[in-house]
Amino acid sequence: MATILEMRGITKEFPGVKALDDVNLRVEEGEIHALVGENGAGKSTLMKVLSGVYPAGSYSGDILYDGEVRRFAGITDSEDLGIIIIHQELALIPLLSIAENIFLGNERARRGVIDWRETEERAAELLDRVGLKESPKTLVDDLGLGKQQLVEIAKALSKDVRLLILDEPTSSLNEADSEKLLNLLVEFRRRGLTSILISHKLNEISRVADRITVLRDGSAVARLDCADGISEDDIIRDMVGRSLDDRYPPRQPHAKGETAMEVRNWTVHHPLHSDRKVVDNVSFHVKRGEVLGIAGLMGAGRTELAMSLFGRSWGRDISGEALIDGKPADLSSVRSAIDAGLAYATEDRKTYGLILDDTIRRNVPLAKLEAIADGLVVNPAREAEVAQRYRTRLNIKSSSIEQETVNLSGGNQQKVVLSKWLFADPEVLILDEPTRGIDVGAKFEIYTVIRDLAAAGKAIIVISSEMPELLGITDRLYVMNEGRFVGEMATDDASQEKIMARIIKSAETRKGEAA
């Protein structure tokens, strides 16, 4: 098998940090090569060097592609050779059609005028190759995330891709869409296309990858051949530099306290389609010292439930009652919800959880500015003290508290979000997909924080699409489907099979009701 790509001795430095240190990477033609490592290990940085986002001259070392040394001045240079990168944040324009997005910057034109017939016919061919049945005229805004990911791949195919780089392509997808995407990569391999896959989902890596390169602290520490029978534990050991015998901290036996929050008959309608109930007559409770999980498939209504509770941040015509410590809670606004003792760490930390172009120092105290202010003016010394305290407590890896959060890894960004809400000192903390896009080492640290908070008497609600995660860190589970709670069980008595059985049974019952 011929080598299509070789990166030799790649070193990349930013002010105060060496992101890549003499990294070597070799990729064979026609394989799926996985790139794994903890957040901040240098995976995305290495791929930005390869694709020309970081141009030649900004790093040291050599890139050999098809056996020749290449010096990319920008991303156009790498794309001209068929190296296409699809970033974790999709680069699509929602209000343009699929066809327009596929050929944006690469328009099908004659004498300066776009040929719409050719554009849509060619787009239809590409959509067929990725298994997407939508019309090329469909607006991207009308597609789910899984289909948007396929549009990105179709866009890559339109540029005669030979080496496809996917950065966390399944991090926001449900299991069905993830499966479809992975099957597509396997089909591409059969046709001779080479892929580099960056992912924290080791089960996916183990399933589709031919070889794995492991990065740790900016260095390539292992190259693994999956034909040798590599286990997930082997990969983790290389990633974190130690054996991670248990992926979840042990449950510490402690008595559960009184009910911290109770929700009764909570109903929420869709903000645009007022006749559609997204949360339908939901009731639940969570005790002090308890980690409560909410399981369900994508679209079950879990995030909508959490956001509607947190100051009515989502939905319309909201009805029902919420009590905190046995007293009716005013959740009519975000400020009121925080004052009532409720906090919500969003699943979308980049859009709603952080001010990305501001520093750790500014982000951490945001939810409780009055605690660091003299009257109406923030005290800079107290602000810095709080930020430094939580940077140390949650082991946030950064050059200092003055580092902008946009430049932190995903795991460290999530720790800043948690710091913000821990400083607010809520009675009830809702964590929505708290470990999405985070490596196993950072996950363990966040699980430990959750367990410590429960031991300190806080009530924690965890929403997660990863059932093993819910089974590993919670004490009790509710199962949600189609806007309703359809099951409740102690985690010790739960399993993935039991959770899915409740979902399937409820769907069949709902279908019978509709008939």
Side-chain angles (χ1 to χ4, degrees), residues 6-12 18-26 35 41-43 45-47 60-62 213-221:
E6 192 168 358
M7 303 180 77
R8 297 177 179 170
I10 303 296
T11 298
K12 171 69 177 173
K18 184 178 282 188
L20 297 172
D21 186 6
D22 195 30
V23 171
N24 296 313
L25 173 69
R26 189 175 80 253
L35 195 59
K43 306 181 298 296
T45 302
L46 185 64
M47 291 301 97
S60 61
D62 292 318
T213 294
V214 183
L215 295 186
R216 185 170 73 237
D217 297 331
S219 299
V221 297

Side-chain angles (χ1 to χ4, degrees), residues 453-465:
L453 288 171
K458 300 296 184 182
I460 315 294
I461 301 172
V462 177
I463 298 169
S464 177
S465 297

Side-chain angles (χ1 to χ4, degrees), residues 53-107:
V53 174
Y54 297 137
S58 69
Y59 61 87
S60 61
D62 292 318
I63 298 173
L64 283 80
Y65 185 71
D66 281 338
E68 296 183 29
V69 175
R70 311 287 183 171
R71 294 179 61 81
F72 300 135
I75 197 165
T76 303
D77 289 351
S78 63
E79 288 189 348
D80 287 345
L81 291 176
I83 301 173
I84 310 294
I85 183 168
I86 299 177
H87 297 281
Q88 188 172 356
E89 287 80 27
L90 301 182
L92 299 174
I93 298 178
L95 296 182
L96 292 184
S97 71
I98 293 174
E100 289 169 323
N101 270 280
I102 287 176
F103 293 105
L104 188 63
N106 184 31
E107 286 80 7

Side-chain angles (χ1 to χ4, degrees), residues 403-449:
Q403 186 167 345
E404 291 184 351
T405 56
V406 70
N407 295 322
L408 298 175
S409 66
N412 287 301
Q413 286 180 347
Q414 188 69 356
K415 290 178 185 179
V416 175
V417 173
L418 286 175
S419 296
K420 178 178 71 174
W421 292 116
L422 294 183
F423 178 61
D425 195 27
E427 300 305 314
V428 181
L429 176 58
I430 303 174
L431 302 175
D432 195 351
E433 303 287 359
T435 64
R436 172 171 287 170
I438 293 175
D439 64 79
V440 289
K443 281 183 177 181
F444 189 88
E445 292 180 326
I446 289 173
Y447 297 151
T448 301
V449 171

Side-chain angles (χ1 to χ4, degrees), residues 27-28 30-34 162-166 185 188-189 193-197:
V27 178
E28 310 302 333
E31 74 172 358
I32 299 175
H33 195 106
R162 291 185 60 217
L163 176 58
L164 180 63
I165 306 163
L166 300 107
L185 289 184
F188 284 165
R189 176 176 60 193
L193 180 66
T194 309
S195 301
I196 296 177
L197 175 63

Side-chain angles (χ1 to χ4, degrees), residues 124-171:
E125 293 172 6
L126 293 167
L127 294 179
D128 184 61
R129 285 184 65 184
V130 300
L132 196 55
K133 301 186 185 306
E134 265 70 13
S135 163
K137 296 180 180 180
T138 303
L139 293 183
V140 163
D141 198 37
D142 294 332
L143 302 175
L145 280 174
K147 292 181 178 180
Q148 289 185 25
Q149 190 73 262
L150 294 178
V151 172
E152 279 278 25
I153 294 175
K155 185 176 179 180
L157 294 176
S158 76
K159 299 176 182 178
D160 298 321
V161 60
R162 291 185 60 217
L163 176 58
L164 180 63
I165 306 163
L166 300 107
D167 192 352
E168 296 287 352
T170 64
S171 63

